[in-house]
Amino acid sequence: MRTALTLGSSSPFASLRGVRVIAAIAPVKGAPPGCQRGRRAKAVGIVSAIIVGVAAMVGVGGSADATQSAGDGRPGPTRVFKPMITAFEEQNLIELNVIATYRVFGTMGLQSVKRSPATASRQRVAIRYLLQQWDGTRWVTDRLSPVYRGWLTAAQPSLSSPAWATYPSRQPTLPRSYRFAFVVRWYTPGGKHLGSRIIVPAHSGETACSVVHMKCTAAPGFVTL
């Protein structure tokens, strides 16, 4: 049995080692300057539709721990939707006869997160997505999704997490490389840490492009747009 996670109001990931947080946002916010509110609301629908369309185009599949992952403690098994990141574009009318094209990135989320083997008791799970940009020497976190939370029990041994899409905090003037990292943590009901896992794409089929006006390259582990 599997259920979807709910949105949490605070983050347990405030001090991720090796991750420099630049900005945090709510789902599909942070539209580039110049977008009117009406167009911004319309863009949310476009983002959702494109994610669904791309998933149908490339074929949504799961892969148990098929990506690069690192963790501590005793994390449970995870399964991701493919592609882990899809790059696409959105166009907005800034003024008469002036159209701006923006980079947008989406993910289908995690297909399943299962119980940590550390305990047979009820477990709390927290999941967050990190949009990361390559700065020439390392991956830097540019956007944070909300925290998605849920419970794992003997009767409910698996959870799924929702799709999410976002703009970079700044639209680059030159092509840049991006990826999503998924952070999953397991806790006891009292808050004791059981294990954690950081998952990033690393293989073909885990990144995808769906663009018309921009040049995009989907490489194993990242997209360049």
Side-chain angles (χ1 to χ4, degrees), residues 119-208:
T119 175
S121 302
R122 190 169 66 145
Q123 300 174 10
R124 182 166 60 93
V125 175
I127 299 172
R128 195 165 214 180
Y129 313 146
L130 287 65
L131 177 64
Q132 298 184 322
Q133 181 185 110
W134 182 254
D135 71 355
T137 59
R138 61 175 180 157
W139 289 102
V140 177
T141 296
D142 182 66
R143 291 288 195 188
L144 296 171
S145 78
V147 179
Y148 302 103
R149 305 181 189 277
W151 291 93
L152 293 169
T153 65
Q156 185 66 63
S158 180
L159 298 170
S160 63
S161 60
W164 186 65
T166 186
Y167 298 88
S169 60
R170 294 182 179 180
Q171 292 285 316
T173 56
L174 297 174
R176 292 294 182 100
S177 295
Y178 298 87
R179 72 179 186 183
F180 275 119
F182 300 157
V183 181
V184 189
R185 290 192 175 183
W186 289 258
Y187 299 91
T188 65
K192 179 182 177 181
H193 178 72
L194 298 175
S196 63
R197 187 184 298 277
I198 300 176
I199 309 165
V200 297
H203 306 291
S204 60
E206 293 182 338
T207 62

Side-chain angles (χ1 to χ4, degrees), residues 52-137:
V52 172
V54 170
M57 177 184 71
V58 302
V60 173
S63 180
D65 295 331
T67 61
Q68 289 184 351
S69 65
D72 60 16
R74 300 183 67 186
T78 56
R79 189 176 181 89
V80 301
F81 281 115
K82 292 184 179 182
M84 288 180 64
I85 181 171
T86 299
F88 50 95
E89 61 199 358
E90 177 193 318
Q91 289 192 308
N92 286 288
L93 182 64
I94 302 300
E95 55 187 64
L96 186 63
N97 297 325
V98 178
I99 297 176
T101 303
Y102 301 109
R103 294 164 174 81
V104 188
F105 300 94
T107 179
M108 294 298 293
L110 279 81
Q111 189 173 15
S112 69
V113 175
K114 297 186 177 181
R115 294 171 54 83
S116 164
T119 175
S121 302
R122 190 169 66 145
Q123 300 174 10
R124 182 166 60 93
V125 175
I127 299 172
R128 195 165 214 180
Y129 313 146
L130 287 65
L131 177 64
Q132 298 184 322
Q133 181 185 110
W134 182 254
D135 71 355
T137 59

